[in-house]
Amino acid sequence: MNAVPEQPDQPADIDAALLLRWLDTATSVIEREAAHLTELDSPIGDADHGNNMRRGFLAARAALQQEPPDTPGGVLVGVGRQLISTVGGASGPLYGTLLRRTGKALGDAPAATAAELRDALKAGVDALAQLGGAVPEDKTMVDALVPALDAFTAALDAGEGTADALSATARAAGEGAAATIPLRARKGRASYLGDRSIGHQDPGATSSALLLTALADTAREASSS
Ligand code: ADP
Ligand code: MG
């Protein structure tokens, strides 16, 4: 049986079909933006972030198209598993942990409310931060994900529906990614550069914002159809 939603007026509108559409959209966006992500990873990294993300998402989309999971948790666990097994860079295990942990927190329910997704995403971000040891302002993907979670919570507290709440989440992630520009990197390859990492946007924070924007767009399409 499903858990009874804490707020009965919230629809459980996040299901496997929606997250499979997200995977499709996210993969297209990553393909389109791969060159840009790699360009961002050039001055402060090893110029592979776009390729890493493209390889991981293409593998995930292919695997999940072959055998589509029937729960939203199953979709996220499946994508996370593919990223861990196909991406060699730091971002593979980090995103893999984020998605697997988020998916596990959703459990085997056939659908989740936005509040349930927020709680699950919080567990995922906590697991990623623990794995990488990064805190906000270290100039990593955490700088997009933590403000995104805060905005998600604020939007739900303000009574916004799933699509609006996810739009606010994606917007905050984009702002968080832009706010990495003046930061000095304290984690990952960019940290080897010290002060020379200042003035460049973090590639991982940028891809996090892209993935959340794809989710917001997918939810918006679902709510207007
Ligand atoms: P690699 O750094 O191994 O080449 P990628 O280029 O694919 O891997 O990913 C780099 C991104 O990973 C960075 O822009 C940053 O956002 C993220 N990252 C790297 N190390 C950490 C860490 N310890 N914690 C959180 N995020 C990290
Ligand atoms: Mg790299």
Side-chain angles (χ1 to χ4, degrees), residues 37-38 41-42 44-50 52 89-91 189 203:
L37 292 173
T38 286
D41 197 32
S42 299
I44 58 168
D46 54 354
D48 65 353
H49 189 57
N52 286 341
S91 59
R189 282 179 197 281

Side-chain angles (χ1 to χ4, degrees), residues 2-16:
N2 292 332
V4 176
E6 288 163 22
Q7 288 165 291
D9 54 343
Q10 271 198 353
D13 51 6
I14 300 157
D15 59 10

Side-chain angles (χ1 to χ4, degrees), residues 114-157:
E116 287 164 346
L117 178 64
R118 187 271 322 271
D119 291 349
L121 197 56
K122 168 133 189 24
V125 172
D126 286 348
L128 179 156
Q130 199 183 2
L131 176 67
V135 296
E137 308 216 328
D138 280 351
K139 197 178 180 100
T140 70
M141 47 181 78
V142 169
D143 290 314
L145 295 168
V146 167
L149 263 179
D150 290 345
F152 201 170
T153 299
L156 293 177
D157 288 350

